[in-house]
Amino acid sequence: QKGIYNDVLIEARPPRVNTASEEVIHKENSWIVLGRDRPAGVRTGYGGLGHHRAASIDMCVGPQGRDITEWNKMTREKVVVNPDFQKDSARIYISAKSDIDDNFQLSDGKIGNAKGKSAIGIKADGVRIIGREGVKIITKGGDTKNSRGCRMSSVAGIDLIAGNDDTDLQPLVKGNDLANGLMQLADLVNSLNGILVGFMNSQMSYNQSVMKHYHYSPFFGQPTTPALDTLMIDRVNTALDQVSVSLADAALNKINLTNWKFNYCEPAGSLYINSRLNNTN
């Protein structure tokens, strides 16, 4: 049986439309094409427009993917194929000048749509990046200019977009800052709890004075009304305590909460818990 032990296999192998500027390495349905930017037919891409500095390397396996065939069933004509960034089974595409997001039909995200830039696109049913001692995803690096010679004044971020849908793209959370922020918030809530306990103790002390102090009637020594002179002193002490301690502490706690909200929850805050560059949905 053909194909066993990697022997030659009988299967559909439609020929590719090649151009004079392309050097093609081809075996069965595996292609490596050295040429110029070309995401589809010969007129497409910056190669089709005749641009300089648009060299490309297109590595593709499984042209037309699930729809691969050598014959058009309707016209009964021989099928020839062009690069197809949507249908081809798997591809690594490298170009010195390309509209990579448009070619692969990618959403803009926060980073935006790259036009006429050097680019690498990798597409397959499953893409895995394995590093035995770690994997880094780095933007900008040590460069100050891009491949076109333009100075890069800002640092671009990283968008993690599931389903190619950027409608609900949000900043990633920075774990250490979030943990520190929650710890500080817990301390502020605990402080507020202490203020409330102090207020309650002060109020309960006054309430006990109200309950325990009475005037006594000259008739048989029966209690009548509370001792107003004692209550007045206790009431003044309670009011002073609540104003000087409870209200002052509550005002300070409110200021601390406002500062916490700004530092951790506002983009301008020094400890903002979200990444200012990296996003995901």
Side-chain angles (χ1 to χ4, degrees):
Q1 184 178 353
K2 294 292 185 179
I4 296 178
Y5 305 134
N6 276 301
D7 197 0
V8 176
L9 181 66
I10 299 175
E11 62 177 345
R13 298 176 190 168
R16 182 183 187 275
V17 178
N18 299 321
T19 69
S21 68
E22 294 174 337
E23 181 72 27
V24 180
I25 303 171
H26 169 226
K27 185 67 175 178
E28 297 192 354
N29 283 320
S30 302
W31 302 78
I32 299 178
V33 181
L34 311 179
R36 289 185 289 157
D37 183 52
R38 178 188 165 190
V42 297
R43 297 182 179 181
T44 63
Y46 290 97
L49 294 173
H51 283 217
H52 295 277
R53 299 166 63 189
S56 70
I57 301 174
D58 187 11
M59 292 177 278
C60 172
V61 294
Q64 296 298 297
R66 63 185 180 277
D67 295 329
I68 188 170
T69 182
E70 290 184 355
W71 296 92
N72 187 312
K73 295 180 180 179
M74 300 294 293
T75 64
R76 297 183 181 275
E77 294 179 347
K78 188 77 171 177
V79 170
V80 292
V81 297
N82 287 294
D84 191 322
F85 282 26
Q86 278 62 58
K87 284 187 176 182
D88 295 344
S89 295
R91 163 174 275 104
I92 298 176
Y93 185 74
I94 306 172
S95 179
K97 187 178 186 181
S98 185
D99 297 343
I100 196 71
D101 293 299
D102 289 343
N103 294 342
F104 282 97
Q105 297 183 7
L106 305 179
S107 57
D108 291 355
K110 300 290 186 181
I111 296 175
N113 189 305
K115 298 282 190 181
K117 303 287 183 67
S118 66
I120 299 176
I122 302 174
K123 183 176 182 179
D125 291 343
V127 175
R128 307 291 187 268
I129 301 174
I130 299 98
R132 286 192 175 90
E133 296 186 359
V135 174
K136 294 182 180 180
I137 302 176
I138 300 173
T139 64
K140 191 175 182 179
D143 299 334
T144 58
K145 296 181 179 180
N146 65 15
S147 64
R148 316 310 295 178
C150 299
R151 183 170 296 277
M152 296 181 292
S153 58
S154 61
V155 177
I158 298 169
D159 287 348
L160 303 176
I161 307 174
N164 201 25
D165 182 359
D166 61 358
T167 55
D168 189 32
L169 210 59
Q170 300 180 18
L172 289 167
V173 173
K174 295 190 287 185
N176 290 339
D177 287 345
L178 176 59
N180 291 333
L182 292 176
M183 290 291 289
Q184 284 198 20
L185 181 59
D187 291 340
L188 290 171
V189 172
N190 186 58
S191 176
L192 184 60
N193 181 71
I195 295 170
L196 179 60
V197 169
F199 173 83
M200 292 175 64
N201 287 336
S202 175
Q203 187 64 44
M204 284 190 295
S205 177
Y206 177 71
N207 292 344
Q208 288 176 353
S209 297
V210 173
M211 290 187 296
K212 292 180 179 179
H213 291 82
Y214 289 90
H215 286 289
Y216 291 89
S217 170
F219 300 100
F220 309 106
Q222 296 297 316
T224 57
T225 59
L228 296 179
D229 53 345
T230 304
L231 290 180
M232 182 61 70
I233 296 173
D234 289 341
R235 185 167 62 183
V236 171
N237 290 336
T238 299
L240 290 173
D241 184 55
Q242 290 176 351
V243 170
S244 63
V245 179
S246 298
L247 289 181
D249 287 348
L252 180 60
N253 188 263
K254 186 174 182 179
I255 293 172
N256 290 335
L257 280 171
T258 301
N259 291 336
W260 180 91
K261 181 179 178 181
F262 177 80
N263 287 333
Y264 287 97
C265 301
E266 297 293 338
S270 60
L271 299 171
Y272 184 47
I273 63 174
N274 287 335
S275 170
R276 294 179 176 86
L277 298 174
N278 306 319
N279 309 279
T280 189
N281 60 347

